[in-house]
């Protein structure tokens, strides 16, 4: 089938997903615009209540528990919904509260008046909405940088019709060498979609479930209609 649509994916996706897109006439160009590495201070101490705002944060927390010989059952996790929560629960962590985004997660934490101190397992490019909101309401936030996000920008020379964004960092990295083009942006979740809109992308769409599979399915549903219209 001839290629009628071109998507830029800001990270590599599964080979099966690539095949599904090609079957409907979609060309996919992939580049990992962000690279992450887990690294933390071995002398780090954690509080009972832990905030996790990304799947990488969950992975970093799990490595800290293993490295520091801690018990997962000693901690209560407060995390972002969907993929982050799914990663946490599958690892056997106790999730006390969850919400679709950082602002709403802060509100969920504030419902528990006994919580006066939390540890936020975060990256070097963390967003500050949650910490600021909690601190304004008297909850101390201990930010523990446990992973590092490094940008790997690439100038896209070919014309394209859509973008897969998997994180706010991927959007920032993409924009280093590329301008805002008004094409459809398929975003992995609410936080990424909000960041895309803040950067000037007007046409965004998110799947009901925050996963690569759901994102690709959403794109296929959209493209099937669009490509049909092009014909």
């Amino acid at each position: 089938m001839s290629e009628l649509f071109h998507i830029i994916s800001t990270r590599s996706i599964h080979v099966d997903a690539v095949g599904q897109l090609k079957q409907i006439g979609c060309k996919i160009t992939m580049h990992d615009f962000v690279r992450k590495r887990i690294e933390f201070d071995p002398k780090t101490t954690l509080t009972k209540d832990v905030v996790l705002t990304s799947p990488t944060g969950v992975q970093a927390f799990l490595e800290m528990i293993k490295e520091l010989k801690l018990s997962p059952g000693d901690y209560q996790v407060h995390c972002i919904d969907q993929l982050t929560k799914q990663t946490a629960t599958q690892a056997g962590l106790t999730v006390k509260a969850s919400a679709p985004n950082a602002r709403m997660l802060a509100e969920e934490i504030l419902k528990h008046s006994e919580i006066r101190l939390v540890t936020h397992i975060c990256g070097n490019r963390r967003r500050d909405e949650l910490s600021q909101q909690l601190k304004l309401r008297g909850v101390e936030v201990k930010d523990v940088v446990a992973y590092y996000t490094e940008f790997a920008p690439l100038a896209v020379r070919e014309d394209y019709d859509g973008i897969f964004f998997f994180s706010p960092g991927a959007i920032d990295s993409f924009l280093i060498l590329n301008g805002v083009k008004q094409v459809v942006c398929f975003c992995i979740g609410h936080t990424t979609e909000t960041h895309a809109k803040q950067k000037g992308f007007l046409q965004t769409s998110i799947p009901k479930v925050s996963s690569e599979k759901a994102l690709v399915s959403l794109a296929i549903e959209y493209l099937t209609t669009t490509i049909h219209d092009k014909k």
Side-chain angles (χ1 to χ4, degrees):
M1 178 180 289
S2 60
E3 293 167 342
L4 301 173
F5 206 92
H6 183 198
I7 285 182
I8 304 298
S9 179
T10 54
R11 82 172 189 205
S12 299
I13 62 174
H14 195 277
V15 62
D16 290 346
V18 174
Q20 290 172 343
L21 290 165
K22 286 184 176 180
Q23 283 180 356
I24 62 166
C26 179
K27 176 182 178 180
I28 182 83
T29 298
M30 299 179 289
H31 174 72
D32 294 325
F33 278 82
V34 294
R35 293 162 188 167
K36 297 182 179 182
R37 58 183 173 86
I38 294 174
E39 182 180 322
F40 53 87
D41 185 347
K43 297 180 181 179
T44 297
T45 57
L46 305 175
T47 59
K48 177 182 178 181
D49 291 279
V50 174
V51 177
L52 304 172
T53 50
S54 72
T56 307
V58 177
Q59 293 165 7
F61 179 53
L62 293 171
E63 288 202 20
M64 293 176 75
I65 287 175
K66 182 179 179 181
E67 181 74 20
L68 303 176
K69 296 180 173 58
L70 304 174
S71 172
D74 291 339
Y75 302 94
Q76 297 182 138
V77 169
H78 309 262
C79 65
I80 300 296
D81 279 335
Q82 297 191 348
L83 188 56
T84 302
K85 182 179 180 179
Q86 178 183 337
T87 305
T89 53
Q90 286 180 345
L93 300 177
T94 301
V95 176
K96 183 171 184 176
S98 65
N101 55 49
R103 179 184 60 81
M104 295 177 71
L105 180 58
E107 290 298 327
E108 287 297 319
I109 294 171
L110 290 168
K111 290 179 181 178
H112 302 276
S113 58
E114 75 281 6
I115 298 177
R116 310 310 303 164
L117 171 65
V118 299
T119 297
H120 182 197
I121 307 296
C122 57
N124 61 317
R125 297 182 184 274
R126 66 187 177 277
R127 297 165 65 86
D128 294 326
E129 296 99 326
L130 182 139
S131 294
Q132 290 175 353
Q133 193 169 346
L134 290 177
K135 289 175 182 178
L136 284 173
R137 301 279 290 276
V139 176
E140 185 180 348
V141 180
K142 178 182 179 182
D143 289 319
V144 173
V145 177
Y147 62 93
Y148 292 80
T149 300
E150 300 168 346
F151 289 165
L154 175 73
V156 178
R157 305 298 183 189
E158 296 179 83
D159 195 20
Y160 57 93
D161 308 285
I163 313 173
F164 285 168
F165 283 133
F166 292 93
S167 68
I171 297 171
D172 292 335
S173 179
F174 179 83
L175 291 175
I176 291 174
L177 296 177
N178 303 281
V180 173
K181 182 181 178 182
Q182 294 308 334
V183 297
V184 59
C185 298
F186 300 98
C187 302
I188 194 69
H190 293 283
T191 301
T192 301
E193 181 186 41
T194 298
H195 195 64
K197 289 180 176 179
Q198 289 173 345
K199 292 299 181 179
F201 292 100
L202 301 179
Q203 188 178 0
T204 61
S205 186
I206 60 173
K208 293 180 180 179
V209 178
S210 182
S211 70
E212 178 185 298
K213 183 178 180 180
L215 185 71
V216 172
S217 295
L218 175 67
I220 289 173
E221 181 181 349
Y222 173 89
L223 297 178
T224 300
T225 302
T226 303
I227 291 172
H228 182 269
D229 290 344
K230 282 188 176 184
K231 292 180 179 179

